[in-house]
Amino acid sequence: MVEDVTHTVTGATGYTGRYITELLLEQGNKVQSITGHPDRHNPFGKRVKTQQFNFEHPDLLEQALTGTDTLFNTYWIRFNRGNLTYQRAVKNTITMFKAAKAAGVRRVVHISITNPDLESSLPYFRGKAYTEEALRRSGLSYAILRPTVLYSTKDILLNNIAWTVRKFPLVLMPGSGRCLVQPVFVEDLAQLAVEAASDNQNTEIDAVGPEVFTYKEMVKLIRGKVGARCLVLPAPKLLTYVAVEILGLFLNDVVITWDEIKGLCADLMVSKSSAPAPAKTKLSEWLDNNGSDLGLHYASEIQRHY
């Protein structure tokens, strides 16, 4: 990548987009962002210009993308809320790809999810499959990266698992607790994304970490690293869901959705590929250095993204 090229990152003030933006800036690239929250605090200041998505005005979106070499797309929603639905997110993503094509964008690096499926009963995974298919048909050069559970000191899921095991004497696991997860360090994902931008060949990669855990093993690992002593027990999926729904009422947040529990218990958070894991950071080792900082405060999904 060279200094006079502009790259566009969706949601540079968000989570995954922020790490991609940081890495691009470190390498001397010009970066701009399109976002649904243009008034949100911009940690990059004048180094990164932010603009509104303008999905309802494709001509303005095309204008915003003009001059872009690579579009790094992290746009998506975790769950339906109000008029923010998966159906709308798919439509918006397709609009963005069309605008990128019209604007002459050279390449799209698209952040998807492991195990997307057009026939899935889960709208998150089905919607991701539709956006992947739209990108394949767009005529754009692309790289599709499929991460699983992302983690860092700024993430929501692992932080809130750590917060839960710190706060409560008993933590319930959905089902048997044996569902599989293959977490990936968000900085590894950002590195893979930036590396994928310099290529021209269409690629699809399961962007996963080197360790596979059962969900129960991962929670117990986090419990040990943060020094908590709670009891971790398997429970019926519905009972677990009801418990976290009640917790969510007190927190004014969505802790986990029923679809997320079903996806977890269907082992959709682990790669089915036989290829070696491209991300190298091990969660077990990362927690040795960062576990003490996790779970000190609850992280709200609604406050951060909705």
Side-chain angles (χ1 to χ4, degrees):
M1 296 187 187
V2 293
E3 293 185 7
D4 61 346
V5 171
T6 295
H7 301 285
T8 299
V9 180
T10 65
T13 60
Y15 182 47
T16 308
R18 181 177 300 199
Y19 285 93
I20 293 173
T21 301
E22 287 175 349
L23 185 54
L24 288 169
L25 290 173
E26 286 175 7
Q27 295 182 357
N29 294 284
K30 289 184 179 181
V31 184
Q32 68 167 357
S33 179
I34 50 176
T35 174
H37 305 281
D39 298 327
R40 179 180 287 173
H41 169 68
N42 181 355
F44 304 107
K46 295 181 179 180
R47 292 186 297 163
V48 177
K49 177 184 177 182
T50 60
Q51 300 185 65
Q52 183 75 32
F53 274 129
N54 279 313
F55 292 125
E56 303 305 319
H57 301 280
D59 56 328
L60 296 179
L61 183 55
E62 177 187 337
Q63 182 179 330
L65 291 170
T66 298
T68 294
D69 177 82
T70 302
L71 169 63
F72 295 86
N73 178 42
T74 71
Y75 168 74
W76 194 240
I77 59 171
R78 185 179 148 196
F79 46 78
N80 291 334
R81 185 172 177 84
N83 64 355
L84 294 175
T85 65
Y86 292 118
Q87 184 177 10
R88 183 177 176 185
V90 169
K91 180 181 177 182
N92 289 344
T93 303
I94 293 173
T95 297
M96 181 162 43
F97 292 157
K98 289 180 178 178
K101 178 68 172 179
V105 171
R106 179 188 65 86
R107 187 161 174 83
V108 174
V109 177
H110 177 60
I111 307 301
S112 186
I113 191 72
T114 47
N115 303 300
D117 183 356
L118 292 171
E119 304 300 323
S120 175
S121 63
L122 303 177
Y124 189 108
F125 292 86
R126 187 171 65 250
K128 283 290 193 180
Y130 275 114
T131 60
E132 286 191 13
E133 189 62 23
L135 181 55
R136 293 187 193 99
R137 294 179 177 179
S138 69
L140 290 157
S141 169
Y142 67 83
I144 296 173
L145 303 184
R146 301 189 185 103
T148 52
V149 175
L150 292 167
Y151 67 89
S152 77
T153 55
K154 299 183 180 71
D155 92 303
I156 287 182
L157 178 61
L158 258 69
N159 178 82
N160 289 348
I161 291 175
W163 180 84
T164 302
V165 299
R166 286 179 185 272
K167 288 287 184 180
F168 298 97
L170 173 65
V171 174
L172 300 180
M173 298 289 97
S176 66
R178 296 176 182 172
C179 41
L180 300 177
V181 289
Q182 193 170 3
V184 56
F185 186 36
V186 70
E187 291 185 21
D188 286 351
L189 176 63
Q191 182 68 49
L192 291 170
V194 172
E195 289 174 354
S198 61
D199 196 359
N200 289 313
Q201 189 173 17
N202 294 338
T203 57
E204 301 181 17
I205 301 170
D206 279 5
V208 295
E211 294 178 310
V212 176
F213 304 93
T214 67
Y215 191 69
K216 187 175 182 178
E217 287 171 343
M218 186 175 74
V219 173
K220 285 187 172 183
L221 175 66
I222 295 170
R223 180 187 64 179
K225 299 295 185 179
V226 303
R229 296 179 177 273
C230 69
L231 189 62
V232 178
L233 290 179
K237 289 182 286 186
L238 184 58
L239 176 60
T240 304
Y241 176 64
V242 170
V244 295
E245 277 287 281
I246 294 171
L247 178 61
L249 291 175
F250 286 98
L251 295 169
N252 192 29
D253 194 25
V254 176
V255 179
I256 193 169
T257 70
W258 180 238
D259 279 356
E260 286 172 335
I261 289 177
K262 290 195 290 186
L264 176 67
C265 292
D267 289 342
L268 297 181
M269 290 291 97
V270 63
S271 173
K272 303 300 193 297
S273 171
S274 60
K280 303 305 178 186
T281 302
K282 294 183 177 180
L283 174 62
S284 57
E285 296 177 354
W286 181 87
L287 283 169
D288 288 334
N289 297 320
N290 297 278
S292 61
D293 297 326
L294 285 181
L296 299 177
H297 306 282
Y298 181 80
S300 170
E301 178 75 27
I302 289 178
Q303 287 183 8
R304 185 178 294 188
H305 293 124
Y306 291 82

